[in-house]
Amino acid sequence: MIPQTLFDKIWDSHVVKSIEGGPDVLYIDQHFIHEVTSPQAFDGLRARGIPVFRPVMTLATADHNIPTKDQNLPIKEELSRTQVEKLAENCREFGIEVFGLNHPKNGIVHVIGPELGYTQPGMTIVCGDSHTSTHGAFGAVAFGIGTSEVEMVLATQCILQPKPKKMRISVNGTLQKGVTAKDIILYIISKISGGGATGYFVEYAGSAIESLSMEGRMTICNMSIEMGARGGLIAPDDTTYEYLTKIPSISNRPDFYSLLKKWHGFRTDPGAHFDRELDFDAARIKPMITYGTNPGMGMAIDDTIPSIDSIASEASASFLKSLDYMGFTPGMKLAGHPVDYVFLGSCTNGRIEDIRAFTHFVKGRKKAREITALIVPGSKKVEQQAINEGLDKILKEAGFELRQPGCSSCLAMNEDKIPAGKYAVSTSNRNFEGRQGPGSRTLLASPLTAAAAAITGRITDPRDMLQD
Amino acid sequence: MAKEKFDILESTCIPLPLENVDTDQIIPARFLSLTTREGFGEYLFRDWRFDKSGNKSGGFVLNDEKYKGRILVAGKNFGCGSSREHAVWAITDYGFKAVVSSFFADIFKNNSLNNGLLPVVVSDEFLKNLLDQIQKDPETKVIIDLKQQLLTVSSGESTGFEINQYKKECLMKGLDDIDYLLNITDMIKAYEFRKTLGK
C-alpha cells in the first residue's frame, strides 16, 4: 500500500464523489454555526423551500456579537441583538441545537466544540469562521467556509471543495522557559509569511508539538489560517485521548473503547509524501510580538523591526503603510514601548490554561495604572472553571476583572473596542488595521507577554519576570 | 438557483497596489451585523474610503474620479483573513465583476466563485505591469474572456489564467453548487449508509 498522510486518510474517506476536473463532494461530520455568517444561509434554504438535511450534525452558538458584561440584560446594540435573536429563531425553525447567550454551554464556537466533545479525531469539521482550523488539534480535518458553503452543508451535509496540497511543519527540540505555543505559531508565520501556506493543509509534527497540551495544540492549529493554510492538524496521541476521556459525553459512550481503537489508526504513515516540508528548531524560538498589520509581521520581543533595505521593492509600500498605521519606524526596538490595553481571550488564547498562565504570572503583582485590561474567558465552562479555581479572586487582587465569555475584543463587534491610536498587547489572532476597533493598534503576543505588559505598562520580555 | 452568467467582461480597472489586503479592510467587522446579502457595497473599504468624521479620504483610489470600472486589480494575497462572505458581497454590490491579483487567499477565492465574482490569477510580473499601466493611463481597458481563459489589456499584452473546469461551467451557465448537491442527495445517503456500516 502507498503510504498516506493523516490528512489524505481523513479527506479521502469523506469523499462522496469526485467531480472530473473539479472539486470533491466532501461529507461533513460536524458543522458549527454562529450568528454572523449563518442568517443568509437560512434565508437561502427558505427561498428554496428546503429543510436542513441533518439537523443533529449542526450545533449553534452566539459568540461574535455578545457583550462580555451584564449578559443577563438584553443586548444594547440593536443590530447585534437582532442577529443573536435571529440565530435562535432560525435554529428553532430548522431544528438545530443552539447554545445562546446565558446558556451554561455558551462560548466561542472553537472553544466549546472541543471542550464539550463535539470535536473528535478523524472528523471533517466546518464552520463559517476561518479559525475553524482550531479543531485540527484533535486530528480532524477542520476548516473555515463562507456563507454559501454554510448553506450547502445545511442543505446536504456536504460541500464542494478542491483538495488542498499537503505541507508538514516539524518543530523539534525543547522550548525555552517563558516560550509558549503562541510563540511557536507566531514564529512560524513570521518565517513563512501571511500567505506562505496558501493552498496547503498543514500537519504539525515533531517533539516540541507533541510536548504541548491540547490547549497549546489548539492555539497552534487556530492560527494556521494566518499563514493562508486551508487548515492545520496534529495526529492524536495519549495527550489527545486523555483530554477526550475527561469529557463525560465521550467516555460514557458504550462504544468508547472501539472509538479509542479507531483513533489510534489516525497517523501519517512513514514515508508518506508531502508537497512541502519545513523544519524548525524549538530552542531558537523566543517570546514573539508582532509590529505590523498582518500576523506575518512578527519578531522576537528583544529584536528590532526590519529595516527598509531588507524588504522587497514591491512589498515596501505595504510595509511602510503598515508601520505608519502602527506609529512605528523601520529598525525600531519595541521592548519598553508603552502599551494602553491588554486583551487576554479569543479562540486562540481564551482557554482555561491561558487564564491560568496569565493569573499565575500576575499573582502578587499589580496591574499598571495606565493599562486597561480585558480578561475574557472563551466559554461559560472556562469562566466557571476559573471561578472554581479561585482565579477570579487572584486576578481581582492584582487589579484585573474576569469578564463573561465571547469573541470580544478580538474583532470588536461588541462594545469591547480599543480606541483609535491606542496600543493593545493582544492574545488574539489578527493585527489587521482596525481589527480591534477603528484606528486600534494591535500587538499579537502570548498570554505571558500580555501579562508582563499588563504589569509594567510596557512591551516587556516575560522571561525577565517569570515567578515560580 | 440561477445566477447571472459570466461570459466576456470588458472594462477599465481600479488599481489597488497593496499586498495582503485582508477581509477586515474589505469590510470591517462592525458592518457584519446585517442579516441580508444586500447593501454591503456602501461599507466596502469603509475605513480606507472615509475618515473618522465620515468624509471621503482623498488619497484612496475608490475616491479618485479618474479610476472607474468593474475590475479591481490588487496586490498579492488579496482577501486573506476572515472567512466572511460579506467581503465578496461588498465587492459585488459595489459593482465589481472580477478581481485580478497574483495570489488570492483560499476562502476568499471560493466565496468569490460562489457569488459570480471572477478571481483572475496572473503572474507577479504581469500584475506589476498592469498596475503601472492603469496608473499611467486610467483609460486602459482589460478584456476578460472566461471561455478562452484569457485576459487581454488594451495595449496588446495578454495572459491565460487557470480556473477549475467545474467552476468555469458554473459561472458561464449561472449554475450554483447547492443545486448540484441537491441533485445527488441519493448518493450522499448511500455514502452515509456505507459509513454507518463501517465500509
Side-chain angles (χ1 to χ4, degrees), chain A residues 246-262:
Chain A
K246 286 183 189 149
I247 301 170
S249 65
I250 291 188
S251 52
N252 291 340
R253 281 173 61 151
D255 61 345
F256 177 60
Y257 289 99
S258 60
L259 263 184
L260 263 182
K261 203 174 151 197
K262 191 172 100 182

Side-chain angles (χ1 to χ4, degrees), chain A residues 349-459:
Chain A
N349 282 123
R351 298 188 178 78
I352 189 65
E353 194 177 86
D354 304 310
I355 313 274
R356 280 187 198 133
F358 186 97
T359 307
H360 182 71
F361 193 97
V362 301
K363 189 177 179 179
R365 291 170 164 156
K366 287 279 180 219
K367 178 181 79 65
R369 200 180 306 155
E370 59 274 29
I371 292 285
T372 305
L374 291 150
I375 312 295
V376 186
S379 69
K380 289 300 269 186
K381 216 163 166 270
V382 171
E383 181 192 16
Q384 194 53 51
Q385 178 78 20
I387 293 169
N388 292 347
E389 294 180 15
L391 304 182
D392 58 328
K393 290 198 184 68
I394 301 171
L395 285 168
K396 202 172 171 191
E397 269 168 37
F400 299 92
E401 173 199 16
L402 184 69
R403 298 172 78 103
Q404 292 172 302
C407 295
S408 179
S409 192
C410 173
L411 81 169
M413 275 193 80
N414 69 353
E415 309 74 347
D416 303 345
K417 292 179 171 55
I418 311 295
K422 298 291 182 192
Y423 289 96
V425 173
S426 178
T427 65
S428 51
N429 39 57
R430 289 189 174 133
N431 50 356
F432 297 152
E433 279 184 34
R435 172 79 179 181
Q436 298 193 280
S440 60
R441 291 161 161 172
T442 304
L443 305 144
L444 298 176
S446 77
L448 293 182
T449 304
I455 298 299
T456 62
R458 291 170 184 279
I459 296 174

Side-chain angles (χ1 to χ4, degrees), chain A residues 13 17 27 40 54 147-148, chain B residues 24 36 48 85 180 191-192:
Chain A
S13 69
K17 181 187 177 186
Y27 192 82
Q40 295 86 351
R54 296 288 178 246
T147 299
S148 296
Chain B
D24 272 82
T36 59
W48 286 351
E85 198 159 312
Y180 179 90
Y191 170 86
E192 288 177 325

Side-chain angles (χ1 to χ4, degrees), chain B residues 8-23:
Chain B
I8 292 178
L9 173 66
E10 180 175 356
S11 172
T12 47
C13 304
I14 298 189
L16 186 63
L18 289 173
E19 296 185 352
N20 302 312
V21 173
D22 60 76
T23 52

Side-chain angles (χ1 to χ4, degrees), chain B residues 141-153:
Chain B
K141 277 199 171 168
V142 162
I143 301 169
I144 298 172
D145 184 334
L146 178 56
K147 192 174 176 196
Q148 303 295 329
Q149 294 178 221
L150 191 69
L151 182 153
T152 311
V153 188

